[in-house]
Amino acid sequence: MSTTTQHHRIVVAGSGPGGLSIAARVAAQGLEVALIEPSSRHVYQPFWTLAGAGIVDHELSVRPMADMIPSAVKWLKTSVTGFQPELNQLQTEDGQTLSYDFLVVALGLQIDWHKIPGLPERLGQQGVCSIYDFSGSEQTWELIRNFKGGHAIFTFPPPPIKCAGAPQKILYLAEEYFRKANVRDKTRVSYFCATPTIFSVKKYADALIRQCVKPRDIATHFNMRLKSVDAENRQALFENSESGEEQRIDYDLLHVVPPMSAPDVIENSSLANAEGWVDVDKATLRHKHFDNVFAIGDCAGLPTSKTAAAIRAQSPVLAANLLAAVNGQAPVATYDGYTACPLVTGYGKAILAEFDYELQPQETFPFDQSKESLLLYLLKRFVLPQLYWRALIKGRKWPWSKVGT
Ligand SMILES: Cc1cc2nc3c(=O)[nH]c(=O)nc-3n(C[C@H](O)[C@H](O)[C@H](O)COP(=O)(O)OP(=O)(O)OC[C@H]3O[C@@H](n4cnc5c(N)ncnc54)[C@H](O)[C@@H]3O)c2cc1C
């Protein structure tokens, strides 16, 4: 049985970029903050795409969590197992009940490998791989660089997922690598996508089809959802979401992006909306029913693409509104749904999609960001990681008004 042992002014649940940036901003104002996080390691997930293509070592994505958490923040190294926002309380894995004045939920999302029968036990083997995992990114590079030709399939699941651009980035990088390795002429490259278009914003969708898909002979199959994997026979079963028709396709390499959902601990609580995400107001990031609860990042029920770049824009808004609430004031800042995706289209090329809730481009630079460029690739490869480690997770001001991670 658990007992109430601790009360905190502000509790932040989860220490990804969302939780860390808020904890740092609020602690800098002299407020008492406890951060609940079970993991000893913080991961910079955007590097997993580059690791999957051999551009960086996957170990570069990891840093000790202890080095990331500001010294003024109290780290509780455990997991949240239940939320009772009606009582301003939550439970943790180590049997504690914590009470709080204000709560920020930043638990990220959960990856549902088990929802694709045949997938979890075959990852990294028999041609099946995924960059949506730390070790999976290394296994993906192993399979890509040892690929000798055949049918290479890349999938995209029903959204929402985190970084909806990553499934395409690894597709384009692999396709270019096959050319470098002289196996492209004996390789069919296919993209099976559960959505009706390649990207949600028309400007970038058109640019990707024109610059990448057509000239590079990539076969696209829309509204096709991966249902199961038969790794023994190297076959993938897809379902057409419009006709319900199923198709069994042979593959030699299968890059899978798994389905994703809200963490069970949120979905099973009164914090959740109908889909399981934290039910926050899309402008203020404050909970629709519990005024002392906020959410940031992948776990928040916001109608925008789930990225670290979105967190970069959400963080100052949430911090301002949380501080206003602490002072008994109404929310003072609004979030417009800004999100971004540096879509790497090859070794040395990228476009940079930036847009808002209305799916309108919100570009930072004074040139057309939908055109492939080396500059945007260098931004993604070298500049954004530094800004992530030095500014985003430390809750510091960003050098540009928009561009994300
Ligand atoms: C392959 C890949 C490529 C990507 N590329 C990009 C990119 O190029 N640009 C970009 O902007 N974004 C990219 N992203 C997305 C980005 O990494 C995520 O959107 C971002 O990490 C979300 O941050 P978060 O803080 O919401 O969640 P997370 O980073 O997932 O952090 C959640 C934290 O909560 C902790 N936690 C979970 N459950 C509990 C619990 N019960 N109790 C306490 N703590 C808990 C976890 O241990 C974790 O530390 C990519 C992601 C992937 C996987």
Side-chain angles (χ1 to χ4, degrees), residues 158-298:
I161 65 167
K162 54 182 157 187
C163 194
Q168 275 183 76
K169 298 178 203 177
I170 193 65
L171 160 76
Y172 300 134
L173 286 164
E175 192 277 337
E176 183 173 334
Y177 188 80
F178 298 153
R179 276 185 278 139
K180 281 187 189 169
N182 294 322
V183 293
R184 183 64 177 98
D185 54 351
K186 34 185 179 170
T187 300
R188 193 150 53 101
V189 179
S190 301
Y191 188 56
F192 281 79
C193 182
T195 56
T197 57
I198 202 153
F199 203 80
S200 56
V201 180
K202 187 171 182 325
K203 170 177 178 170
Y204 304 116
D206 291 349
L208 289 162
I209 297 285
R210 193 178 59 246
Q211 294 173 99
C212 307
V213 173
K214 284 199 172 147
R216 292 163 68 173
D217 194 22
I218 295 168
T220 49
H221 306 268
F222 294 109
N223 297 312
M224 294 294 272
R225 174 178 77 89
L226 178 65
K227 273 192 86 176
S228 64
V229 177
D230 174 359
E232 292 301 324
N233 296 306
R234 295 205 177 212
Q235 284 190 329
L237 180 67
F238 289 92
E239 182 187 56
N240 185 306
S241 58
E242 292 198 314
S243 64
E245 198 183 306
E246 292 188 346
Q247 236 181 314
R248 215 168 276 284
I249 315 272
D250 292 328
Y251 68 82
D252 298 282
L253 186 152
L254 178 66
H255 180 269
V256 180
V257 178
M260 303 174 204
S261 61
D264 291 341
V265 66
I266 295 174
E267 187 162 10
N268 297 332
S269 78
S270 49
L271 291 176
N273 64 16
E275 289 79 42
W277 308 99
V278 185
D279 196 11
V280 287
D281 177 83
K282 70 177 198 173
T284 63
L285 309 179
R286 183 156 87 163
H287 199 278
K288 288 182 183 164
H289 309 296
F290 304 105
D291 281 355
N292 61 340
V293 177
F294 294 78
I296 188 167
D298 292 355

Side-chain angles (χ1 to χ4, degrees), residues 14 16-18 37-38 45-46 49 79-80 108 163 169 298 307-309 311 380 405:
E37 167 63 55
Q45 298 169 39
T49 316
S79 304
V80 179
C163 194
K169 298 178 203 177
D298 292 355
T307 63
I311 289 172
K380 156 80 182 163
T405 68

Side-chain angles (χ1 to χ4, degrees), residues 31 47 94 101 117 125 138 167 201 226 258 260 270 284 379-380 399:
L31 291 163
F47 259 180
D94 57 2
D101 293 331
Q125 303 161 36
E138 191 189 29
V201 180
L226 178 65
M260 303 174 204
S270 49
T284 63
L379 179 82
K380 156 80 182 163

Side-chain angles (χ1 to χ4, degrees), residues 12-20 36-39 41-49 65 76 78-81 83 106-109 111 131-133 162-166 169 260 263 265 296-300 305-311 339-343 380 384 388 404-405:
V12 178
S15 184
L20 274 179
I36 306 174
E37 167 63 55
S39 178
R41 299 162 11 130
H42 180 91
V43 282
Y44 176 59
Q45 298 169 39
F47 259 180
W48 294 350
T49 316
M65 190 65 84
L76 307 175
T78 183
S79 304
V80 179
T81 51
F83 290 104
L107 298 186
L109 52 65
I111 303 259
I131 54 167
Y132 274 75
D133 176 61
K162 54 182 157 187
C163 194
K169 298 178 203 177
M260 303 174 204
V265 66
I296 188 167
D298 292 355
C299 70
S305 185
K306 296 180 184 299
T307 63
I311 289 172
T339 190
C341 183
L343 268 149
K380 156 80 182 163
L384 295 177
Y388 178 93
T405 68

